[in-house]
Amino acid sequence: MEKVVMNDITLIRAANGLKLSPDGKYAVYTVIEPDASKNEYHYDFSLVDRCTGNVRRLTYNGKNSGALWDNNETLLFNSVRKEEDTPEPIDEKTVFYRL
C-alpha cells in the first residue's frame, strides 16, 4: 500500500446536497471537484433518473450551488455566470437561475 500524499486530495470528488423531486422520480446533487491549479473547488449539478438509474451532468461552469426543486421538472439554483452576478463585498445579492 502506498502512502497518501498531498496531491492525492486533488483526485477526490464528492457528492453533496441530494434533493428529490416532489414526485420522487429524480434526484439532483452537487458534485464537488478540486482544482489544484487554481486552488479552488468547482461545484456542478448531476441528475439521477431514479426509474432508470441514468445519471446526467446538468451544469459545467463550476460555480453552482443550492439547487432546489421548483416543481417536478424545474430546478432553481444559485450561480455566478456573468460579471454582474458577482456581489460586491457589502451587497446582499443572490442570483438564481431556472433549469
Side-chain angles (χ1 to χ4, degrees), residues 87-92:
E88 296 297 322
I90 60 170
D91 281 350
E92 293 182 16

Side-chain angles (χ1 to χ4, degrees), residues 79-88 91 93-97:
S79 186
V80 176
R81 296 189 170 203
K82 303 175 191 169
E83 186 66 34
E84 61 264 22
D85 293 348
T86 306
E88 296 297 322
D91 281 350
K93 176 181 176 179
T94 303
V95 176
F96 284 93
Y97 286 85

Side-chain angles (χ1 to χ4, degrees), residues 27-47:
V28 67
Y29 61 93
T30 304
V31 177
I32 305 166
E33 297 180 87
D35 182 343
S37 66
K38 295 181 181 177
N39 195 29
E40 64 185 24
Y41 288 92
H42 293 236
Y43 301 86
D44 283 298
F45 301 124
S46 287
L47 179 78

